[in-house]
C-alpha cells in the first residue's frame, strides 16, 4: 500500500535558517521556540528521514508539507527549497501548500535608475510584523535605514526617530528597544531588529518588528543602491500613504518561497463547501467565498526562477477535519462548553478548517492512491499526471494565475495511471481477490487487531468498537 506521510505543522510557521544568524536574528538559545525548531534544520532532516524510512519499507510514498512562508529569495534557492528539489529529483512526490496570503499585498520590486535613486515606503502594519526581507545581487551595494514618522498639525510629515544607516558590512545592529529610546517610545512599543549581510549569491536585508505602533505613527523604510541594481522585497505590506515618490507593495508574489522548488507540486485552495461547521454553535453559510471559485486566501505568483505557484488546486475551505480535543472553549461561567453531538465520532471532535494546508493533503492522498496502482511512478511522472488530468471550469479559466493547471481530478488521473501502465497484475473479470488481512489507516497489516478503530479489509471499512 502506498503511504502518504503528512509532514505538516502549520502553514503559518516562519521560514528561518539556522545556518545564518541574519536569516533569524531573533533566534538564540534562550528564545528558541518550538515553531522555530520545527521550521529550521529539522525540516531538512525530516525529509531525509522520511525518504530513507520509505526506502527501508520498500514502499512508494508522498509527502504533504504545510510549511513555509513568504520569506526567502523566491528563486529556488535556500536550504529547505533546495532540499525539497533534491528529494523530488530522487523520485519522491513532494506536495507543498502555496500559502494563505493570497489577499495581501506583500511584494515590492525596485529598479534603481541612478546612483541617487532611493526606495521609500511606509510599513503598513500597525501591529507586530516579522521578517521583511529584501534581496539584491551579491556584488551590489545596498544601504538601509528605518525611521519613526508622523504627521504634525499642519499635515506635514515629521521624523521622530531614525536608526543608523545600515550596509552589508555593518551586519546586524543591536536591538532597538523602545523602553530604552524615548524618541522611539513616543510612537512605538516593542523591539525593532535590522540586519544586512553579503552572502555567497546575494545581499540580504531584514527588518523585524516585535511590537505595535501608536495611532498616527508609521515606520518609514529607506533603501538606496547603485544604478541598474534590482531589489526584491518579500513579506512586506508597504504603502505610500499618499506621499509623493513613495511606493506600495503589490499582490503578485504571495507564494510560499519553498514552493519555488521546480519539481515540487504546489497546491492552492478553492471553495468546495460554503457551510461553516462548528463544535459549539449551529452551522452557518459563509458569504466570504464563492462556491467553486478560488479562495481569497490562496497564495499564488511566479517565482524569480520562473516557477509558477500553484501547480494545482484542491478543496481547502470549510473542510471538516479532526480537532485536538484538549483544546477546550469555556462559557461565561468558566465551564467547558459541550460539543455538538453531530460534530463528534466516538467522542472525538471535528470542525470546519480552511487554508491551503487543508488542500495539500487532499492532493497528497490522491497521489498515494495513484501510487498504489503504479508504485513505480516517479515524481516527474506524478506531476505530469496531476497537470494533464486537471479539471477546468469557468472559474479556473478566468483566473489561471491563481488556479494553476486547474482542480485536482483523482478519477481522471487514476485512469491515466492505469491506461499508461501499472505495477500490479490485472485481475480477470469475475475473479475475486480476498484475504483476511486488515490494514489500519497508516497502511500497516493487522491480522488480528485488538485496538478500537477503523480498519480496511478487501476495500471495505471495518469498525471495531
Amino acid at each position: 500500500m502506498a503511504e502518504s506521510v503528512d509532514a505538516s505543522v502549520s502553514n503559518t510557521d516562519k521560514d528561518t535558517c539556522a545556518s545564518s544568524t541574519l536569516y533569524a536574528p531573533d533566534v538564540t538559545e534562550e528564545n528558541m521556540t518550538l515553531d522555530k525548531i520545527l521550521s529550521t534544520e529539522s525540516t531538512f532532516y525530516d525529509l531525509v528521514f522520511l525518504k530513507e524510512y520509505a526506502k527501508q519499507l520498500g514502499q512508494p510514498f508522498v509527502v504533504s508539507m504545510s510549511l513555509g512562508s513568504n520569506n526567502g529569495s523566491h528563486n529556488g534557492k535556500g536550504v529547505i527549497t533546495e532540499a525539497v528539489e533534491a528529494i523530488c529529483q530522487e523520485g519522491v512526490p513532494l506536495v507543498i501548500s502555496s500559502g494563505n496570503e493570497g489577499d495581501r499585498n506583500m511584494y515590492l520590486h525596485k529598479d534603481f535608475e541612478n546612483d541617487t535613486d532611493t526606495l521609500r515606503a511606509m510599513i503598513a502594519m500597525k501591529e507586530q510584523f516579522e521578517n521583511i526581507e529584501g534581496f539584491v545581487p551579491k556584488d551590489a551595494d545596498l544601504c538601509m535605514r528605518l525611521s519613526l514618522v508622523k504627521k504634525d498639525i499642519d499635515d506635514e510629515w515629521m521624523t521622530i526617530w531614525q536608526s543608523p544607516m545600515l550596509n552589508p558590512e555593518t551586519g546586524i545592529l543591536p536591538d532597538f528597544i523602545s523602553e530604552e529610546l524615548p524618541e522611539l517610545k513616543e510612537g512605538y512599543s516593542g523591539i525593532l531588529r535590522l540586519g544586512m549581510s553579503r552572502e555567497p549569491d546575494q545581499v540580504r536585508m531584514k527588518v523585524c518588528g516585535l511590537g505595535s505602533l501608536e495611532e498616527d505613527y508609521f515606520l518609514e523604510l529607506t533603501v538606496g543602491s547603485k544604478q541598474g541594481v534590482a531589489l526584491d522585497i518579500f513579506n512586506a505590506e508597504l504603502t505610500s500613504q499618499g506621499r509623493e515618490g513613495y511606493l506600495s507593495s503589490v499582490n503578485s508574489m504571495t507564494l510560499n518561497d519553498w514552493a519555488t522548488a521546480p519539481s515540487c507540486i504546489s497546491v492552492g485552495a478553492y471553495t468546495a463547501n460554503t457551510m461553516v461547521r462548528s463544535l459549539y454553535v449551529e452551522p452557518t453559510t459563509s458569504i466570504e467565498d464563492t462556491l467553486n471559485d478560488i479562495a481569497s486566501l490562496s497564495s499564488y505568483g511566479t517565482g524569480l526562477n520562473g516557477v509558477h505557484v500553484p501547480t494545482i488546486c484542491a478543496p481547502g475551505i470549510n473542510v471538516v477535519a479532526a480537532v485536538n480535543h484538549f483544546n477546550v472553549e469555556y462559557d461565561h461561567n468558566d465551564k467547558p462548553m459541550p460539543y455538538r453531538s453531530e460534530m463528534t465520532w466516538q467522542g472525538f471532535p471535528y470542525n470546519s478548517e480552511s487554508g491551503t494546508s487543508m488542500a495539500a493533503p487532499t492532493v497528497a492522498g490522491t497521489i498515494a492512491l495513484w501510487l498504489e496502482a503504479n508504485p513505480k511512478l516517479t515524481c516527474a511522472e506524478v506531476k505530469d499526471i496531476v497537470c494533464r488530468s486537471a479539471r477546468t471550469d469557468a472559474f479556473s479559466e478566468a483566473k489561471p494565475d491563481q488556479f494553476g493547471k486547474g482542480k485536482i481530478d483523482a478519477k481522471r488521473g487514476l485512469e491515466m495511471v492505469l491506461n499508461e501502465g501499472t505495477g500490479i497484475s490485472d485481475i480477470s473479470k469475475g475473479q475475486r481477490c480476498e484475504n483476511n488481512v486488515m490494514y489500519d489507516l497508516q497502511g500497516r497489516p493487522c491480522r488480528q487487531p485488538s485496538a478500537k478503530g477503523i480498519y480496511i479489509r478487501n476495500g471495505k471499512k471495518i469498525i471495531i468498537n
Side-chain angles (χ1 to χ4, degrees):
M1 176 178 287
E3 185 172 356
S4 173
V5 183
D6 188 352
S8 68
V9 178
S10 168
N11 201 47
T12 59
D13 288 345
K14 299 299 179 184
D15 176 9
T16 57
C17 177
S19 64
S20 168
T21 54
L22 173 65
Y23 203 67
D26 52 323
V27 178
T28 64
E29 290 184 3
E30 290 75 19
N31 67 6
M32 176 69 85
T33 66
L34 179 61
D35 281 351
K36 290 185 174 66
I37 293 171
L38 289 172
S39 60
T40 56
E41 286 185 341
S42 73
T43 301
F44 171 82
Y45 293 114
D46 289 343
L47 290 174
V48 174
F49 170 80
L50 290 170
K51 177 178 70 70
E52 294 302 321
Y53 179 65
K55 182 178 179 180
Q56 179 182 341
L57 295 178
Q59 294 180 336
F61 85 121
V62 55
V63 177
S64 175
M65 289 181 65
S66 296
L67 286 167
S69 77
N70 192 250
N71 286 121
S73 55
H74 290 71
N75 58 5
K77 303 295 184 180
V79 174
I80 303 302
T81 310
E82 293 183 56
V84 165
E85 181 62 20
I87 296 290
C88 292
Q89 288 295 327
E90 293 190 25
V92 178
L94 208 156
V95 179
I96 302 183
S97 301
S98 68
N100 294 336
E101 288 80 35
D103 53 358
R104 294 172 60 186
N105 297 326
M106 303 179 68
Y107 172 63
L108 194 153
H109 176 84
K110 168 69 175 177
D111 290 313
F112 291 92
E113 298 179 356
N114 54 61
D115 290 352
T116 60
D117 194 5
T118 305
L119 179 153
R120 292 185 174 88
M122 313 285 271
I123 297 177
M125 297 177 65
K126 303 298 287 186
E127 299 297 327
Q128 173 173 313
F129 63 92
E130 293 187 14
N131 298 340
I132 293 175
E133 290 188 326
F135 301 88
V136 296
K138 62 180 180 179
D139 297 325
D141 291 321
L142 195 68
C143 59
M144 172 180 69
R145 168 176 283 162
L146 197 65
S147 307
L148 178 70
V149 299
K150 68 169 295 187
K151 280 187 176 181
D152 62 18
I153 57 175
D154 297 321
D155 216 28
E156 297 290 332
W157 288 94
M158 300 171 52
T159 298
I160 309 300
W161 168 88
Q162 277 190 332
S163 74
M165 187 66 76
L166 186 67
N167 60 44
E169 285 62 50
T170 308
I172 303 170
L173 295 176
D175 287 350
F176 297 103
I177 304 172
S178 61
E179 291 299 319
E180 300 174 359
L181 299 168
E183 295 90 352
L184 180 60
K185 185 178 180 181
E186 177 181 327
Y188 181 81
S189 300
I191 300 172
L192 293 174
R193 290 172 176 154
L194 307 178
M196 191 177 293
S197 67
R198 195 177 301 277
E199 300 176 353
D201 56 354
Q202 63 195 0
V203 173
R204 182 199 304 263
M205 53 170 270
K206 180 183 283 285
V207 180
C208 181
L210 305 172
S212 60
L213 286 161
E214 300 293 335
E215 191 70 26
D216 299 327
Y217 288 82
F218 293 86
L219 290 172
E220 177 184 318
L221 178 65
T222 305
V223 184
S225 190
K226 298 287 188 178
Q227 180 178 358
V229 172
L231 169 66
D232 294 287
I233 300 180
F234 301 99
N235 202 35
E237 293 191 278
L238 304 174
T239 175
S240 68
Q241 281 295 312
R243 301 182 71 176
E244 185 177 355
Y246 282 63
L247 301 180
S248 297
S249 300
V250 296
N251 183 245
S252 61
M253 191 87 74
T254 60
L255 62 149
N256 177 1
D257 174 64
W258 295 1
T260 60
S263 300
C264 78
I265 299 168
S266 55
V267 183
Y270 72 90
T271 304
N273 183 14
T274 57
M275 183 66 69
V276 182
R277 293 173 172 84
S278 169
L279 266 173
Y280 304 104
V281 298
E282 293 296 319
T284 59
T285 300
S286 171
I287 60 174
E288 296 180 358
D289 292 290
T290 302
L291 191 65
N292 294 320
D293 201 356
I294 194 73
S296 58
L297 58 75
S298 186
S299 292
Y300 68 100
T302 301
L304 301 181
N305 58 346
V307 173
H308 184 76
V309 176
T311 307
I312 196 76
C313 285
I317 300 300
N318 300 319
V319 177
V320 176
V323 177
N324 182 350
H325 66 282
F326 291 105
N327 187 8
V328 180
E329 291 190 17
Y330 296 87
D331 61 20
H332 61 280
N333 294 319
D334 204 28
K335 293 183 178 180
M337 295 176 62
Y339 297 153
R340 294 176 55 246
S341 60
E342 57 267 43
M343 293 303 293
T344 63
W345 180 80
Q346 294 190 354
F348 293 99
Y350 290 80
N351 203 5
S352 284
E353 302 291 344
S354 296
T356 56
S357 293
M358 305 306 294
T362 297
V363 174
T366 298
I367 292 171
L369 294 174
W370 295 351
L371 289 172
E372 286 190 64
N374 186 353
K376 297 181 180 180
L377 287 172
T378 67
C379 175
E381 291 169 335
V382 167
K383 186 170 183 177
D384 178 61
I385 293 171
V386 165
C387 295
R388 288 192 292 119
S389 65
R391 177 168 47 89
T392 59
D393 55 21
F395 292 104
S396 61
E397 290 170 1
K399 301 174 181 177
D401 286 349
Q402 294 170 271
F403 271 99
K405 294 297 182 180
K407 301 175 179 179
I408 189 73
D409 192 321
K411 180 175 181 293
R412 185 182 295 176
L414 180 59
E415 289 170 347
M416 288 183 178
V417 172
L418 295 174
N419 291 335
E420 297 172 9
T422 174
I424 60 177
S425 301
D426 293 334
I427 299 176
S428 60
K429 187 175 182 180
Q431 181 181 353
R432 301 183 68 188
C433 180
E434 292 191 0
N435 59 60
N436 292 321
V437 178
M438 287 191 281
Y439 296 87
D440 64 19
L441 295 184
Q442 283 71 48
R444 295 185 289 258
C446 308
R447 290 187 177 275
Q448 292 181 325
S450 57
K452 297 179 181 179
I454 302 176
Y455 298 86
I456 304 297
R457 183 172 64 196
N458 296 322
K460 296 181 180 179
K461 181 171 67 175
I462 306 293
I463 299 177
I464 297 179
N465 295 316

